[in-house]
Amino acid sequence: MTDHETADVLVVGSGIAGLTAALAAAREGREVTVATKATRPADAASWWAQGGIAVARGRPERFKRDVLAASDGTADPDAVDVLVENADDAVRDVLVDALGVEFDREAGGDAFDYGREAAHGEDRILHVGAATGEHVHVPLLNHLDERDGVEVVDDAAALELIAREGRVHGAVVASDDGRFPVYAGATVLATGGIGDLFPRSTNPRGATGDGVAMAALAGADVTDMEFVQFHPTAYDAGPDEEGFLVSEAVRGEGALLRNGDGERFMPAYHDDAELAPRDVVSRAVAAEREATGEVRLDVGPLDFVGAFPGLAEKCADRGVDPAEGIPVAPAEHFLCGGVAVDDRGRASLDRLYAVGECARTGVHGANRLASTSLLEGLVWGLRAGADAAVSGGTPANPERVAPPELLDRDPDLPPAFAREKFRRLRRVLGEHVGIERDPAELRRALGVLRRLKGEVDAYVRTRTSRSLYELRNATVTALLVTRQALANGESVGTHYVADDAEPAEPGPAADD
């Protein structure tokens, strides 16, 4: 087993936020190691992004107004300023100039074909068909592969942060080469979301909240975890089918939502109808599914096959005729909260950064505006990577402290152990911590999750495996979501409390 590795900057995760942070640090002449659980681009959530990336188009105030409105007034105005004022330059610098991403252009011209999605007041979404993430993520990976000073280690899971006296010194990483500490001058968490905690999600497998949990267990501040965004139009997959996201851009082009009786229902829920904020549309779809049995997305008003050939192909693979409407249901989509960071991605622990979906920058507040996730990852990735390059101390000479002791006293658990516990966790969150929350159900979920975490902790004390640590991280993250939902009695954005109940006392800490 390798004794240890060193890096000026360690990035954990390989979505657009993590890779951009690595690029920014490398531009400053730092040696960067990217450790990622992914074994192929499609394992990262960025690769799956369909709609596109929003830009300001030289009008940041208009963009800011839409971000704040979508958040129900809860986004941090200063953080939104960072996003909208840096949007155009960041996209031009990395995606257009460095990577040469071929965004769609207007027919017969050189101008970009800007799209519009829900809650945007104007056309400002750059896109590549309905597969923007793929066309951004792969070139960025290739660019870093060819760049000196950046090493991407795939199929490598960070198990624990190396922390002492309020400072993070790297992480313990498990890969094919064994388990070893990676000491770093600065550590950037970019581990993505929490989709694996829910029965239905648009995230790729492996989204187990690793960065959030590791940061919380190390003592970092974690906030706004109750704000879990559900996407209203995920394909309503059967038990043996793979689901897929039906991009909000489809509704932006004119698709309509109809219930089981064939009635269009969104105008009754919001003045913006199908283009209302995601939390509103998700609750409406859930309500109509319960009342009428199903909801379908009517794509008759647009040239669906011509405009969205990738989605049309997914429908054909599953025997769905778009002319009859695409059956849809809400699915967990994006965590608006996470590791609390400032405008440079700095967490409350020294030398620790977080970017992308695992970070709570304040941009999204209680609800994320469509097509701002790639942009947030890009803007904060650039800022965090550059800052980490400066804060990390002497190049190639990070301070080494004793790493946490991970034990292997007992035999490995059977693979079915983690799978069964995950099923239990997903069932609890799906039934009690979903689109609508009731304090009594949240308390019930909290009790089950506390017992589950106790069971997992007992095994983690004497065994070390990637699957077991992913389960631990998922359990810690689920507790954080549930506790913070229980502590917030106000219905706002993605957090909808049944019967406007009073807030409850928070439960135990993440490491209780």
Side-chain angles (χ1 to χ4, degrees):
M1 184 178 84
T2 305
D3 179 57
H4 70 272
E5 299 286 348
T6 61
D8 296 333
V9 177
L10 169 64
V11 178
V12 182
S14 61
I16 190 172
L19 295 179
T20 303
L23 173 63
R27 283 175 168 178
E28 299 296 327
R30 297 301 194 176
E31 297 291 322
V32 182
T33 295
V34 179
T36 173
K37 294 199 302 185
T39 56
R40 58 194 178 101
D43 289 339
S46 296
W47 191 90
W48 292 92
Q50 291 182 8
I53 183 166
V55 291
R57 300 189 67 182
R59 298 184 286 270
E61 283 303 317
R62 295 185 185 182
F63 193 4
K64 179 179 180 178
R65 182 179 61 219
D66 290 344
V67 173
L68 291 172
S71 78
D72 207 359
T74 60
D76 178 350
D78 292 336
V80 179
D81 282 337
V82 171
L83 182 81
V84 301
E85 290 171 5
N86 288 278
D88 294 349
D89 288 344
V91 170
R92 186 179 304 108
D93 172 19
V94 178
L95 303 187
V96 177
D97 293 343
L99 303 183
V101 175
E102 294 289 342
F103 290 110
D104 292 343
R105 298 179 184 268
E106 294 180 353
D110 293 330
F112 287 125
D113 177 26
Y114 294 99
R116 183 182 297 195
E117 296 184 9
H120 284 273
E122 60 184 14
D123 298 345
R124 62 164 70 95
I125 314 298
L126 288 170
H127 52 88
V128 185
T132 305
E134 176 183 350
H135 290 276
V136 168
H137 192 213
V138 172
L140 186 50
L141 269 173
N142 292 339
H143 182 77
L144 289 177
D145 280 342
E146 297 169 359
R147 190 179 187 100
D148 292 338
V150 179
E151 180 185 13
V152 179
V153 184
D154 61 12
D155 202 16
L159 303 181
E160 236 19 299
L161 292 177
I162 303 171
R164 176 177 292 183
E165 297 178 350
R167 174 177 288 185
V168 171
H169 299 271
V172 178
V173 173
S175 73
D176 289 342
D177 294 328
R179 189 171 71 239
F180 51 90
V182 178
Y183 293 105
T187 302
V188 182
L189 296 174
T191 56
I194 63 172
D196 258 0
L197 277 62
F198 290 84
R200 190 195 305 269
S201 174
T202 63
N203 292 182
R205 287 299 180 191
T208 49
D210 299 329
V212 172
M214 287 190 294
L217 292 172
D221 293 339
V222 174
T223 58
D224 285 355
M225 292 295 289
E226 70 269 37
F227 299 132
V228 179
Q229 185 179 78
F230 286 75
H231 199 289
T233 55
Y235 169 62
D236 187 12
D240 299 320
E241 285 185 302
E242 182 181 351
F244 62 92
L245 175 67
V246 183
S247 171
E248 206 152 290
V250 180
R251 281 176 282 132
E253 291 295 318
L256 306 174
L257 287 163
R258 299 188 184 278
N259 61 23
D261 297 328
E263 300 168 342
R264 184 187 179 198
F265 57 85
M266 276 310 305
Y269 286 88
H270 195 279
D271 290 344
D272 292 335
E274 278 78 9
L275 296 183
R278 284 177 176 171
D279 61 301
V280 176
V281 183
S282 291
R283 288 194 295 273
V285 170
E288 294 294 324
R289 277 170 52 83
E290 183 175 354
T292 69
E294 69 170 359
V295 166
R296 288 180 176 261
L297 188 64
D298 176 5
V299 297
L302 65 147
D303 176 14
F304 179 67
V305 175
F308 301 98
L311 291 176
E313 183 178 352
K314 286 181 168 63
C315 289
D317 290 344
R318 292 157 180 81
V320 174
D321 181 359
E324 297 179 357
I326 304 169
V328 294
E332 189 281 335
H333 186 57
F334 190 86
L335 175 65
C336 297
V339 182
V341 299
D342 66 6
D343 64 349
R344 298 280 173 178
R346 294 174 291 208
S348 60
L349 297 178
D350 188 23
R351 311 287 177 89
L352 179 67
Y353 296 76
V355 294
E357 192 172 349
C358 73
R360 185 275 185 191
T361 63
V363 161
H364 308 303
N367 190 38
R368 178 174 72 83
L369 178 65
S371 286
T372 55
S373 58
L374 291 180
L375 179 64
E376 182 197 31
L378 191 66
V379 169
W380 260 263
L382 286 172
R383 296 169 72 84
D387 197 85
V390 173
S391 75
T394 305
N397 190 30
E399 183 180 357
R400 300 174 197 171
V401 301
E405 186 178 13
L406 307 184
L407 302 176
D408 288 308
R409 291 175 181 163
D410 293 334
D412 290 343
L413 293 165
F417 174 84
R419 287 199 299 269
E420 289 302 320
K421 299 298 183 185
F422 261 115
R423 288 194 188 100
R424 181 180 170 194
L425 185 149
R426 292 184 189 112
R427 184 170 62 252
V428 170
L429 265 68
E431 292 177 357
H432 305 302
V433 199
I435 293 175
E436 295 191 16
R437 282 90 180 259
D438 178 90
E441 292 187 3
L442 290 171
R443 292 187 190 94
R444 190 174 299 116
L446 189 63
V448 175
L449 292 170
R450 290 178 62 187
R451 290 191 294 274
L452 178 58
K453 183 175 181 295
E455 295 174 27
V456 174
D457 284 347
Y459 290 108
V460 168
R461 293 188 189 101
T462 60
R463 298 171 177 85
T464 301
S465 71
R466 173 171 161 174
S467 64
L468 192 55
Y469 270 75
E470 285 180 334
L471 177 60
R472 181 208 63 173
N473 293 338
T475 307
V476 168
T477 303
L479 274 168
L480 288 165
V481 171
T482 306
R483 288 182 61 246
Q484 294 187 17
L486 192 54
N488 186 354
E490 178 186 5
S491 290
V492 57
T494 59
H495 177 61
Y496 187 83
V497 183
D499 301 325
D500 294 321
E502 292 296 321
E505 289 298 320
D511 56 354
D512 190 347

